Amino acid sequence: DVGGAVTDFLNLRLNTLYQDSGSFRDFNFIDRWGFAPSIGITLTPDTKLSLQLLHQKEDSVFDYGLPLFRGKPADVPRTTFYGFSGDRLQEYTTTFATATLDHRFSSDLSIRNTFRYGDYERRYRTHLFGTVTDTGRTSTVTRNQHLRLGTQENFYNQTDLVWKTSFAGIRNTWLFGTEFGWEDFDFCSKNSTDIPSISIFDPVRAETVGPGRANDLKGTLNAHNAAQTDTQAFYLQSQLEITPQWKTLAGFRWDRFGTHFQNRVTDEKLHRTDEELSYRFGITWLPTAMQSYYFSYRKSFNPSGETFSLNTSTVNLDPEENQNFELGAKVDFLDGNLSATAAIFRLEKTNARTADPNDPDSTILAGLQRTDGIKFGVTGSITPEWYVTASYAYLDATIVESNTIQDGILLEGQSPANVSPNNGAVWTGYYLTDAIEVGGGIFFQDRQFLTNSHVSKIPGFTRFDGMAAYHHEHFDVQLNLFNLTDQRYFEWGRSNAALPGRPFAAELTLRLKY
């Protein structure tokens, strides 16, 4: 990371990175490199132009971890790799450029225009688990392999006008904005054939699938989808300071979102356009300099084509709608050095997509999903030498209304997949001297069901980490220790796989300051 002022009106900066790393997971690796130059130009005292570019490439491994056995991750070493050692293809290429122009008409009126272009490509060969044949310790699991290529190109332009006014002693900050965007997405997939099943508890790896491997995307494809989306949006926001103790925030946004979708295998073409209004409101009370309390409400939506996909079941569906209520507080202690926060909230999806009871192959908007939660946080310094950061969240998520049946189970009354009811972390550090720092933390996460039907899950876990550092005027040396007790845990999962978290690990970092 290098840069600085070249002249009074020109600044240059260049960030670069290179990473070559292995993993505790067998046959995993990451090779990554990238660069990000930026230019800052002061055109006039009130006008500035910023130009930024990021280009990054990565080679790595498509790895979903361990298969599930009887509804939970298989009891095998967390290093176990079930793929093919010669079929570890996963390539990312990311390029995006941003141009931002800022102009200040006066101390109360300013405008900013941001244009961004993005180009993304991911080429990979999947390794997905399928059906488990349960014969005890001799059980096997089928495997699916697909050669896939996904490309995406984006153009977005956003303009914000900020105007500060005052009337009858009430200060008001207006935000007027527009956003226009276009995205082009293309996805191809071709299946490998003749993929043998593999033993779950005694896997024997092969180099490649063999002659049935999909090596290119020529000929007949199993999937080839193309989608173009366009967005036009206008928004307005008002932030009022009624008194020094009372402030309000209110705003709305109007979106027009269109999707053109084509299944190029069947030549099916679908189109949908949605026009929706989103809005939010909030009020804050600051009775003293050390206290603040707030209430907020937000409404948003999810259009049918949001994931670059439409089908005959969703093309005529209106957007799903979401609303969020939140009541919270922030209180400072120890002369403002320590802050505590708390909030209670409800998030609802009021017309969620669900199966049509008269036609299970069709989708209607008759579902209701609700998440009630509380969250707490503490951050800051207890003494000049002792600092702490802690957080906790409780989530009570329920599929309140649904006609969908999954794995033979009606989803109504179930909790949604991938929701952990209890999550939290505590990290504390202490400066033994001005140069020597030590610290440690506890991270915990409750169980997660991996499907809405609750037929599979990953267990909760508690992990302990530690740290020691030496600070100098021109360098820092830091040693981080992860998973001190070598706890077996899982970071993530899906309906038939779970990805293990890393075992005990040490990381030594040197930072030079000049």
Side-chain angles (χ1 to χ4, degrees):
D1 179 10
V2 295
V6 178
T7 68
D8 291 341
F9 61 87
L10 180 64
N11 287 272
L12 302 178
R13 186 172 184 176
L14 176 65
N15 284 268
T16 62
L17 72 89
Y18 175 71
Q19 178 181 348
D20 179 5
S21 62
S23 168
F24 71 93
R25 296 276 299 149
D26 290 345
F27 297 100
N28 271 238
F29 69 92
I30 294 177
D31 290 335
R32 178 186 295 148
W33 63 268
F35 60 91
S38 59
I39 302 173
I41 306 173
T42 301
L43 301 175
T44 72
D46 295 317
T47 308
K48 297 181 180 180
L49 175 65
S50 173
L51 303 174
Q52 297 171 311
L53 173 71
L54 170 67
H55 180 74
Q56 183 169 302
K57 290 183 69 70
E58 176 184 314
D59 291 334
S60 55
V61 180
F62 185 98
D63 181 20
Y64 274 173
L66 308 181
L68 298 185
F69 180 69
R70 298 178 181 174
K72 60 183 180 180
D75 187 13
V76 298
R78 54 194 157 197
T79 61
T80 308
F81 182 66
Y82 290 85
F84 300 90
S85 57
D87 288 346
R88 296 176 292 158
L89 172 68
Q90 183 167 244
E91 300 173 344
Y92 293 89
T93 303
T94 301
T95 304
F96 64 82
T98 306
T100 303
L101 182 65
D102 288 280
H103 180 71
R104 184 179 60 185
F105 297 98
S106 68
S107 59
D108 295 327
L109 184 63
S110 62
I111 191 170
R112 166 177 287 187
N113 188 85
T114 301
F115 174 80
R116 171 167 287 182
Y117 166 78
D119 184 85
Y120 312 90
E121 179 177 300
R122 183 187 180 197
R123 182 172 177 265
Y124 58 107
R125 192 175 282 115
T126 70
H127 174 75
L128 302 173
F129 297 114
T131 302
V132 171
T133 300
D134 187 348
T135 57
R137 297 298 298 180
T138 60
S139 297
T140 60
V141 61
T142 61
R143 295 175 292 178
N144 301 303
Q145 189 189 79
H146 316 283
L147 177 63
R148 292 177 172 174
L149 175 64
T151 60
Q152 185 176 338
E153 190 176 32
N154 301 345
F155 296 88
Y156 272 93
N157 192 86
Q158 182 175 345
T159 304
D160 292 321
L161 179 69
V162 178
W163 180 32
K164 298 178 181 179
T165 64
S166 181
F167 178 75
I170 299 176
R171 299 173 61 184
N172 190 6
T173 301
W174 292 95
L175 171 65
F176 305 87
T178 64
E179 180 179 278
F180 298 92
W182 174 80
E183 299 180 73
D184 190 352
F185 177 76
D186 191 90
F187 174 79
C188 302
S189 181
K190 186 177 182 180
N191 295 353
S192 297
T193 59
D194 301 322
I195 306 170
S197 299
I198 191 170
S199 171
I200 293 178
F201 297 101
D202 188 21
V204 177
R205 285 182 294 268
E207 176 71 16
T208 65
V209 173
R213 187 177 77 173
N215 294 309
D216 56 53
L217 292 168
K218 299 177 182 178
T220 302
L221 301 179
N222 296 93
H224 188 186
N225 299 330
Q228 296 81 39
T229 66
D230 57 88
T231 300
Q232 300 90 44
F234 305 89
Y235 48 91
L236 171 65
Q237 179 176 287
S238 170
Q239 181 177 322
L240 286 174
E241 184 177 312
I242 301 173
T243 69
Q245 291 77 37
W246 289 95
K247 299 179 181 180
T248 65
L249 178 69
F252 71 88
R253 173 180 169 124
W254 177 86
D255 281 270
R256 182 184 185 275
F257 182 82
T259 302
H260 293 265
F261 175 80
Q262 180 182 5
N263 183 331
R264 291 182 172 172
V265 174
T266 63
D267 200 34
E268 179 183 53
K269 297 179 181 179
L270 300 170
H271 172 253
R272 176 170 182 84
T273 299
D274 291 294
E275 297 182 5
E276 283 287 319
L277 187 68
S278 303
Y279 47 87
R280 64 174 179 167
F281 169 78
I283 184 168
T284 303
W285 176 45
L286 300 93
T288 70
M290 296 293 185
Q291 302 177 63
S292 63
Y293 305 89
Y294 69 90
F295 170 78
S296 67
Y297 171 79
R298 298 184 183 187
K299 175 185 174 295
S300 60
F301 70 98
N302 302 107
S304 297
E306 62 182 338
T307 58
F308 302 106
S309 179
L310 287 173
N311 56 53
T312 54
S313 182
T314 61
V315 67
N316 294 317
L317 288 182
D318 290 334
E320 295 179 311
E321 295 185 354
N322 314 292
Q323 57 180 357
N324 182 52
F325 305 85
E326 184 167 327
L327 181 67
K330 177 178 179 290
V331 180
D332 294 334
F333 303 95
L334 304 178
D335 296 325
N337 292 311
L338 187 69
S339 297
T341 60
I344 182 170
F345 58 89
R346 166 170 285 187
L347 174 63
E348 286 188 332
K349 189 180 291 290
T350 55
N351 56 340
R353 300 174 193 127
T354 183
D356 187 340
N358 300 314
D359 182 4
D361 294 327
S362 298
T363 303
I364 60 175
L365 297 176
L368 172 62
Q369 298 176 12
R370 176 181 299 144
T371 300
D372 292 327
I374 56 174
K375 54 186 178 180
F376 301 97
V378 175
T379 184
S381 298
I382 300 174
T383 70
E385 299 82 14
W386 182 17
Y387 64 89
V388 64
T389 299
S391 63
Y392 169 76
Y394 170 74
L395 301 176
D396 179 15
T398 307
I399 301 173
V400 181
E401 298 175 4
S402 178
N403 302 313
T404 302
I405 295 176
Q406 185 182 78
D407 300 316
I409 298 173
L410 179 65
L411 298 188
E412 185 169 300
Q414 303 284 86
S415 61
N418 305 120
V419 175
S420 177
N422 294 278
N423 303 271
V426 178
W427 181 269
T428 185
Y430 193 85
Y431 283 88
L432 300 175
T433 69
D434 290 342
I436 300 175
E437 177 190 3
V438 295
I442 303 173
F443 304 84
F444 62 91
Q445 178 177 294
D446 210 341
R447 59 94 184 121
Q448 289 186 46
F449 291 109
L450 302 181
T451 62
N452 291 339
S453 59
H454 294 189
V455 297
S456 59
K457 68 177 182 179
I458 55 176
F461 67 88
T462 300
R463 192 187 80 232
F464 298 89
D465 293 351
M467 181 272 290
Y470 178 77
H471 303 286
H472 187 271
E473 181 182 359
H474 297 297
F475 66 87
D476 294 317
V477 180
Q478 182 169 315
L479 175 65
N480 285 88
L481 302 175
F482 303 97
N483 197 3
L484 289 168
T485 61
D486 201 27
Q487 169 79 21
R488 177 184 168 93
Y489 69 98
F490 294 86
E491 294 182 338
W492 172 89
R494 63 196 307 266
S495 60
N496 50 18
L499 185 63
R502 64 174 161 180
F504 171 75
E507 180 178 276
L508 184 64
T509 303
L510 172 65
R511 299 183 184 91
L512 301 178
K513 296 176 285 187
Y514 56 90

